[in-house]
Amino acid sequence: MSDKLSPEEREEKKLPPEDEGYISEEQQKEVLQKYDPESNTRDLSGIIKHVVFYGLLAFALFQLYTAIFGQYTAYIQRSIHLGFALSLIFLLFPMRRRKGARHKVAWYDYLLALLSVGVGAYWPIMYDDLVFRIGRVTDLDLAVGILAVLLTLEATRRAVGMPITVIGVLFLTYGFFGPYFPGFMRHRGQDLDSLIQLMFFTTDGILGTPIGVSATFIFTFLLFGSFLVKTGVGQYFNDLAVTLAGNLTGGPAKVAIFSSALQGTISGSSVANVVTSGSYTIPMMKKLGYKKEFAGGVEAAASTGGQLMPPIMGAAAFLMVEFIGGVTYWEIAKAATIPALLYFTGVWIMTHFEAKRIGLKGLSKEEMPNRKEVLKKIYLLTPILAIIVFLLIGIPTMQAALYGILLTIFVSAFNKETRLSFKDMIHALVDGARTALAVAAATATAGIIVGVVVKTGLGLALANGLVSASGGNVLLTLFFTMLAAIVLGMGSPTTANYVITSTIAAPAIITLLMIDEPAGAAVPIVVALSAHLFVFYFGIIADITPPVALAAFAASGISGGEPIRTGFNAAKLAIAAFIIPYMFVLSPELLMIDTTWPQIIWVVITAVTGMIAIGAGLIGYWYRKLNWFERIITFVTGIALIYPEGFTDLIGAGVFIVLFVLQWLSRDKKAPKAQTA
């Protein structure tokens, strides 16, 4: 059956004609496979297709069972999770990206899948014996452990990408050859037995905290997102965004921002978010008059920010709960709320000024969907709102996700179009398990990295080196940390990036913020959260930071624009993301912890006002076009307002008022009258 829509269907869905940029589902799939390693799967048929399908279903049912009735011990729960993930990855993901390799499974992949099943079953079968002789490794243990490491790295390369695999290999090499490394990086090294024991026979390696979180919280929330998608909530996000923002100045760009922010609550992938919402919004933006690179940049910036949007912030946020300790997921989501809103406010402001600069209006009344029909389906958002309530009242995170799944099934029944059949539920379980494969591989390799860092003391050494390089200056330390997170994030998933930077760079930030505290003092939650959110932010922003900006490249695949230019446009639009993390480290009021509402309100007002000035300076338009001198003054004023100091706020506010009055008095009266932004 053709996946192309008829002109009548396009009109009904408010999609532009095909010759104006609409891309088919097949083209969307090609873009995903090109830029998102997690989507680079085989197109299987015949018996093996059914084997993989029921394997994914069994994986989901196992996870669902343990989520409802209780988990097994850490070693058993995590090793079964790993076994399922590795074996299914070797059946689904080809060794190389060749078209011919997408339709059949190579003989060696069957062998690797069987070996993965053996690795996953080793702990459950040998549990009593392994626990009895803990600390001693037999020849069989050594062989299985080596196999587990090699299979994990190869599965990660296929499902996640080369960057994190290379990093994992480098850390393993350092763990083994430590005595030969110079200077502060030297340690006494590990013999092969000790290294393999660390990697697979303790909870400090592959079976460590990262994959433990994948085998519990992350998987359950991925299932929740998968059930939501089956109700058609993704298309509803687009419809709702058009209804609320389509007729505003530069409407389609604001639709992209609104829709991508909503999509981000159920998607943990920037690239997938770009393709899902961008195939709808980018053609609309191009039709209105935005340049290809700007349209792609808007979608990439908005989709990347989706991972910052509570209540579901991607897999790394769940890891943050475990890494910080003593903090709930709700506290993390609450702390991230104002920074996320400021991020999207910044992108919104920039697109508004760009629309005014080139004279773009919103969609016409005829192009807008029927508001009443759209609002009739507002109930589809109930599960997302309910998750927030569940977390707020203290329901455990995994239990909240299970309640969310049940509520999604219940809510979907109110409308024939959204109602989930038994078949839909089965496919939701399979889709959720498929999404979890790359996360499981990434967290397993992240466990290798964490294990080496903890065992060798590398994390402390690198953190001390970072502090030393910055001369103890907080801003310089933050700057170096930002660079490290962005570089590590180029081509790596947010989860792996966060694990690396949180174990290496976050301690340096915490050390400097605690410099005036007595030795051995407990780290306050606000300090730990600000440091971890800092590296979390920049790990995500790496997706739109050239030269490797996967989200921007995916957007260019839809828009037809030049990839690097699209990346620079995305980075410019997301300027808030390069500023906000510094703000909440230096001014923790933004995280809404141990602060008062007047302080929060003041910080938010100055931040938003500062973003208006920065946006106007970067775009070169406010109420009229700005010359180069005005742009510099406006930009600096914005920085002064955002910088969390009382005197800079007062100076910035004074200059902002003067600039605003001058702009208003000399406004471009010939410019097309825009609707409210």
Side-chain angles (χ1 to χ4, degrees), residues 20 281 565:
E20 292 183 1
T281 59
R565 287 184 182 177

Side-chain angles (χ1 to χ4, degrees), residues 74-344:
Y75 287 113
I76 293 177
Q77 179 80 20
R78 297 172 188 182
S79 61
I80 293 176
H81 182 80
L82 178 70
F84 266 118
L86 295 183
S87 58
L88 289 165
I89 284 172
F90 288 120
L91 295 178
L92 265 174
F93 292 81
M95 177 176 284
R96 289 184 294 273
R97 293 191 178 192
R98 289 185 292 106
K99 287 191 175 180
R102 294 190 188 280
H103 302 289
K104 61 180 181 178
V105 180
W107 66 267
Y108 50 80
D109 284 335
Y110 286 113
L111 176 61
L112 293 175
L114 287 173
L115 290 173
S116 299
V117 171
V119 166
Y122 194 70
W123 260 104
I125 292 172
M126 303 289 290
Y127 181 76
D128 291 337
D129 187 41
L130 289 169
V131 170
F132 178 75
R133 54 182 172 79
I134 195 82
R136 290 184 292 113
V137 179
T138 66
D139 290 342
L140 179 60
D141 293 343
L142 186 64
V144 173
I146 292 173
L147 196 58
V149 171
L150 295 176
L151 290 172
T152 295
L153 290 171
E154 171 59 12
T156 303
R157 184 192 68 80
R158 295 189 187 196
V160 185
M162 184 62 79
I164 182 179
T165 309
V166 171
I167 293 171
V169 170
L170 289 175
F171 272 78
L172 267 178
T173 304
Y174 174 70
F176 188 72
F177 293 104
Y180 304 101
F181 281 79
F184 75 92
M185 295 179 67
R186 179 176 295 174
H187 74 95
R188 65 192 181 99
Q190 303 276 311
D191 58 56
L192 185 61
D193 286 12
S194 300
L195 189 61
I196 295 304
Q197 181 183 349
L198 172 70
M199 288 297 111
F200 194 65
F201 296 99
T202 71
T203 52
D204 290 325
I206 291 174
L207 302 181
T209 298
I211 202 170
V213 177
S214 173
T216 51
F217 307 121
I218 295 175
F219 197 102
T220 316
F221 267 91
L222 289 175
L223 286 181
F224 169 63
S226 181
F227 272 83
L228 269 178
V229 169
K230 282 296 177 184
T231 66
V233 73
Q235 180 58 44
Y236 181 69
F237 285 155
N238 291 334
D239 294 340
L240 182 62
V242 174
T243 301
L244 297 178
N247 64 337
L248 305 180
T249 303
K254 290 172 181 173
V255 169
I257 297 167
F258 203 115
S259 174
S260 296
L262 291 172
Q263 292 279 5
T265 63
I266 61 172
S267 170
S269 167
S270 301
V271 175
N273 199 344
V274 165
V275 175
T276 301
S277 56
S279 58
Y280 176 77
T281 59
I282 289 175
M284 289 173 63
M285 285 187 270
K286 289 169 60 181
K287 180 183 177 183
L288 188 67
Y290 284 108
K291 291 182 179 179
K292 295 176 182 178
E293 288 81 9
F294 191 86
V298 170
E299 181 57 51
S303 292
T304 299
Q307 289 188 70
L308 306 172
M309 180 61 70
I312 306 171
M313 300 163 53
F318 295 98
L319 286 169
M320 203 179 298
V321 176
E322 299 297 321
F323 281 18
I324 294 177
V327 62
T328 64
Y329 183 80
W330 167 249
E331 288 176 304
I332 291 173
K334 185 181 77 169
T337 299
I338 291 178
L341 293 175
L342 287 177
Y343 174 88
F344 283 103

Side-chain angles (χ1 to χ4, degrees), residues 467-482:
V467 173
S468 177
S470 66
N473 183 285
V474 175
L475 280 175
L476 270 179
T477 301
L478 293 177
F479 178 73
F480 291 149
T481 303
M482 174 189 76

Side-chain angles (χ1 to χ4, degrees), residues 424-476:
D424 290 331
M425 295 180 204
I426 295 296
H427 280 275
L429 290 171
V430 170
D431 291 345
R434 186 188 297 263
T435 306
L437 296 180
V439 177
T443 51
T445 299
I448 292 175
I449 296 165
V450 173
V452 172
V453 167
V454 172
K455 188 71 174 178
T456 64
L458 178 62
L460 181 60
L462 289 176
N464 289 336
L466 194 59
V467 173
S468 177
S470 66
N473 183 285
V474 175
L475 280 175
L476 270 179

Side-chain angles (χ1 to χ4, degrees), residues 562-575:
E562 203 280 319
I564 294 295
R565 287 184 182 177
T566 302
F568 279 114
N569 271 291
K572 181 176 75 172
L573 289 165
I575 188 68

Side-chain angles (χ1 to χ4, degrees), residues 657-670:
I657 291 171
V658 172
L659 290 172
F660 174 81
V661 171
L662 292 174
Q663 280 286 309
W664 176 258
L665 292 175
S666 60
R667 65 189 181 279
D668 185 1
K669 296 180 180 179
K670 293 182 180 180

